[in-house]
């Protein structure tokens, strides 16, 4: 079957129309954005909030469940969900009583609460790792895990995959240029050249992985079970088996970052696919939006970690923080795990993810578009290339500077929010089949606009 071609001049013309429509519909957000230039760098409280295709960000008035309302009074179906931070849905009713109760009982004391071991035991049950510690973000969980891995192994290097993202972890800001590691473009003021700390290989390349591990200087491999931050890049059959076998063969610890792949099920991709990491990190969705993260280790790694954390230096060893494991975060994690991200909720979420995947694929096939859609549990992404990427290089090369922003803005102007960095849609326990169907209707409208004469 012949694929349908997209007229690029048509895309650019449509984009101009959508930008004008966006500005007309959001005068209050635009006014607040202009006001914010006087007090907020670039007019936003965090610089990546500039990454929206309308020319300025929406200012949110209220978010609840799977929807939000902006300051201009417009309602949206939220399929971004804080780029996974609100995968639970916004302010989930089932979690609020536990969170509110803790607010009245104290927020932070630097002392343990009973919720700490409840959450640790539940994470132990879900992921299969024995010991757990807590942080406020997956960035910190990854950073602390890497420090422990280097201390335990006595090795200096970390290995990551080209195109990866693990928060603001310094060692992960390296990628490949002409096959060799280099500091990633946009890496602001690195403390150390990441090529001194980090080896980089392509995802799914077993030969390159073994070559990098063979010298015996890599303390840990840090990886998502499925690459998600460059577009979803699935592991090829047998890749995880090879990754685990090679890390064990060369004495390298394996750290799996499940912050996004928690979409795969209650125990993330690790539980769903029987993986066996040495350490595991997870962040954003754990606390229903309250800053929360956790990192766990096997019994062997936990024993070795405890031996390198010397009591006289427990507060100055580079791991932890005054607000880490605070009572509010732990209460939020318990409420989320106990009442929101449950087995029953995941069954509904993944079923809706399957519905969204099938509907989007149906539109692509109906209009003979050379695009594809892929999914990890309740996380679905469509990309404007014929075949799924096999590694970070292919994923980066497949990004479309015309179609990506157009689809985002077209959807936003019709009440659908996607993740700004890629075409990711996420299903929460609050998302409905009707909302999924509405997404597909708007997606088809965008396709028709692109193909109309």
């Amino acid at each position: 079957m012949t694929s349908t071609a997209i007229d690029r001049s048509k895309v650019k013309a449509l984009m101009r129309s959508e930008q004008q429509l966006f500005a007309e519909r959001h005068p209050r957000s635009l006014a607040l954005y202009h006001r914010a230039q006087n007090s907020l760098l670039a007019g936003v409280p965090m610089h990546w909030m500039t990454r929206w295709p309308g020319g300025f960000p929406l200012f949110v008035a209220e978010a609840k469940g799977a929807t939000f309302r902006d300051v201009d009074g417009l309602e949206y179906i939220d399929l971004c969900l804080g780029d996974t931070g609100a995968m639970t849905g916004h302010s989930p009713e089932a979690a609020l009583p536990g969170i509110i109760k803790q607010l009245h009982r104290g927020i932070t004391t630097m002392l343990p609460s009973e919720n700490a071991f409840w959450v640790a035991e539940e994470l132990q049950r879900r992921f299969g790792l024995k010991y757990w510690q807590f942080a406020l973000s997956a960035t910190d969980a990854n950073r602390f895990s890497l420090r422990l891995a280097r201390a335990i192994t006595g090795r200096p290097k970390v290995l990551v995959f080209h195109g990866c993202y693990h928060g603001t972890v310094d060692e992960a800001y390296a990628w490949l240029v002409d096959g060799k590691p280099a500091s990633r473009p946009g890496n602001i003021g690195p403390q150390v050249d990441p090529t001194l700390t980090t080896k980089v290989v392509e995802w799914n390349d077993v030969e390159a992985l073994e070559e990098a591990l063979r010298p015996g200087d890599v303390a840990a491999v840090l990886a998502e079970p499925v690459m998600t931050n460059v577009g979803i890049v699935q592991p090829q059959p047998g890749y995880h088996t090879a990754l685990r076998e090679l890390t064990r063969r060369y004495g390298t610890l394996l750290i799996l970052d499940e912050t996004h792949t928690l979409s795969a099920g209650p125990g993330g991709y690790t539980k769903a696919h029987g993986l066996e990491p040495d350490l595991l990190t997870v962040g954003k969705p754990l606390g229903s939006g309250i800053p929360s993260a956790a990192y766990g280790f096997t019994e062997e790694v936990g024993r070795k970690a405890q031996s390198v954390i010397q009591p006289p230096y427990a507060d100055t060893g580079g791991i932890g923080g005054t607000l880490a494991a605070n009572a509010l975060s732990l209460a939020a994690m318990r409420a989320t795990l106990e009442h929101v991200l449950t087995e029953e909720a995941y069954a509904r979420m993944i079923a809706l993810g399957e519905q969204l995947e099938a509907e989007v694929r149906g539109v692509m096939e109906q209009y003979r578009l050379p695009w594809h859609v892929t999914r990890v549990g309740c996380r679905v992404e469509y990309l404007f290339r014929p075949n799924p990427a096999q590694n970070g290089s292919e994923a980066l090369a497949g990004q479309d500077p015309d179609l990506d922003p157009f689809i985002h803005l077209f959807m936003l102007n019709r009440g659908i929010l996607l993740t700004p960095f890629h075409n990711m849609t996420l299903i929460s326990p609050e998302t409905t089949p009707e909302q999924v169907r509405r997404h597909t209707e708007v997606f088809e409208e965008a396709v028709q606009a692109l193909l109309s004469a």
Side-chain angles (χ1 to χ4, degrees):
M1 182 185 297
T2 303
S3 296
T4 303
I6 301 293
D7 183 344
R8 294 293 161 156
S9 62
K10 181 70 175 292
V11 179
K12 290 179 171 60
L14 286 170
M15 186 64 180
R16 288 191 292 271
S17 296
E18 293 298 323
Q19 288 172 327
Q20 181 178 349
L21 180 61
F22 182 78
E24 291 170 353
R25 289 184 174 178
H26 302 95
R28 180 66 177 150
S29 279
L30 180 58
L32 291 176
Y33 179 62
H34 285 316
R35 174 184 170 185
Q37 304 297 320
N38 295 318
S39 58
L40 299 172
L41 186 66
V44 290
M46 175 53 68
H47 61 273
W48 43 250
M49 292 182 184
T50 61
R51 289 284 306 272
W52 297 91
F56 58 92
L58 294 177
F59 280 71
V60 176
E62 182 180 13
K64 185 65 179 173
T67 64
F68 73 93
R69 179 172 55 85
D70 70 21
V71 294
D72 288 289
L74 301 176
E75 302 279 345
Y76 301 85
I77 297 169
D78 191 353
L79 295 174
C80 170
L81 295 169
D83 195 20
T84 310
M87 191 176 81
T88 55
H90 299 289
S91 300
E93 289 293 334
L96 290 180
I99 294 170
I100 293 169
K101 183 178 180 181
Q102 189 60 52
L103 283 171
H104 291 289
R105 290 183 165 185
I107 294 172
T108 188
T109 61
M110 286 188 70
L111 291 167
S113 64
E114 290 188 11
N115 285 333
F117 62 77
W118 190 98
V119 173
E121 289 170 353
E122 178 63 9
L123 293 173
Q124 184 183 73
R125 183 187 71 82
R126 292 190 181 211
F127 292 101
L129 293 164
K130 185 171 179 61
Y131 293 116
W132 291 84
Q133 293 282 272
F134 300 104
L136 293 179
S137 70
T139 290
D140 279 346
N142 285 324
R143 184 180 293 121
F144 301 159
S145 295
L146 290 176
R147 290 184 73 110
L148 287 171
R150 287 194 297 266
I152 288 169
T153 63
R155 297 177 175 185
K157 296 280 189 175
V158 171
L159 185 143
V160 299
F161 295 93
H162 179 61
C164 73
Y165 183 77
H166 297 282
T168 56
V169 175
D170 289 317
E171 296 92 329
Y173 274 78
W175 70 356
L176 296 174
V177 175
D178 297 327
K180 296 182 179 181
S183 183
R184 188 166 185 159
N187 187 8
I188 299 170
Q191 301 179 65
V192 176
D193 181 347
T195 63
L196 301 176
T197 63
T198 308
K199 295 186 179 184
V200 186
V201 299
E202 292 279 15
W203 182 245
N204 282 321
D205 188 336
V206 175
E207 183 177 339
L209 175 65
E210 181 166 16
E211 183 179 348
L213 295 180
R214 187 179 291 116
D217 56 351
V218 177
V221 170
L222 175 60
E224 291 185 285
V226 177
M227 293 188 75
T228 66
N229 276 287
V230 69
I232 291 173
V233 184
Q234 303 277 3
Q236 291 181 349
Y239 186 69
H240 271 294
T241 299
L243 174 60
R244 181 67 282 194
E245 192 278 324
L246 288 171
T247 48
R248 283 176 172 155
R249 181 190 304 175
Y250 293 107
T252 299
L253 297 175
L254 176 60
I255 307 171
L256 293 183
D257 181 349
E258 287 269 19
T259 299
H260 280 173
T261 51
L262 193 61
S263 63
Y269 198 92
T270 292
K271 183 72 170 182
H273 294 269
L275 306 184
E276 298 179 351
D278 298 298
L279 298 95
L280 182 145
T281 63
V282 61
K284 288 183 280 195
L286 272 187
S288 292
I290 301 292
S292 308
Y295 52 113
F297 0 83
T298 62
E299 185 170 7
E300 180 183 1
V301 171
R303 186 174 62 252
K304 292 178 179 178
Q306 190 162 346
S307 72
V308 301
I309 300 175
Q310 298 298 320
Y313 309 107
D315 59 335
T316 57
I319 291 175
T322 303
L323 294 179
N326 71 77
L328 181 61
S329 291
L330 285 160
M333 284 189 270
R334 177 170 183 169
T336 302
L337 294 169
E338 189 171 10
H339 301 298
V340 183
L341 295 180
T342 63
E343 296 276 357
E344 295 76 16
Y346 268 104
R348 295 193 304 273
M349 292 156 67
I350 292 173
L352 284 179
E354 292 170 344
Q355 175 188 330
L356 195 153
E357 178 188 26
E359 289 180 359
V360 169
R361 181 175 290 114
V363 172
M364 293 176 178
E365 291 174 351
Q366 177 183 348
Y367 292 92
R368 303 194 311 276
L369 294 165
W371 304 345
H372 75 276
V373 59
T374 186
R375 180 177 60 85
V376 180
C378 62
R379 182 185 185 96
V380 181
E381 188 154 11
Y382 40 90
L383 297 100
F384 306 121
R385 51 173 288 141
N387 301 308
Q390 299 299 308
N391 55 45
S393 289
E394 290 185 12
L396 288 163
Q399 293 178 348
D400 194 306
D402 298 326
L403 287 173
D404 285 343
F406 167 73
I407 288 290
H408 280 84
L409 190 55
F410 188 97
M411 304 290 279
L412 189 60
N413 278 337
R414 289 151 187 83
I416 308 287
L417 183 72
L418 306 179
T419 298
F421 314 118
H422 31 77
N423 305 315
M424 189 274 287
T425 59
L426 190 64
I427 305 296
S428 79
E430 303 284 345
T431 307
T432 67
E434 293 75 22
Q435 289 170 332
V436 169
R437 183 59 196 156
R438 177 58 184 158
H439 163 273
T440 309
E441 290 172 355
V442 176
F443 178 70
E444 185 170 8
E445 288 177 24
V447 169
Q448 290 171 344
L450 287 167
L451 299 180
S452 63

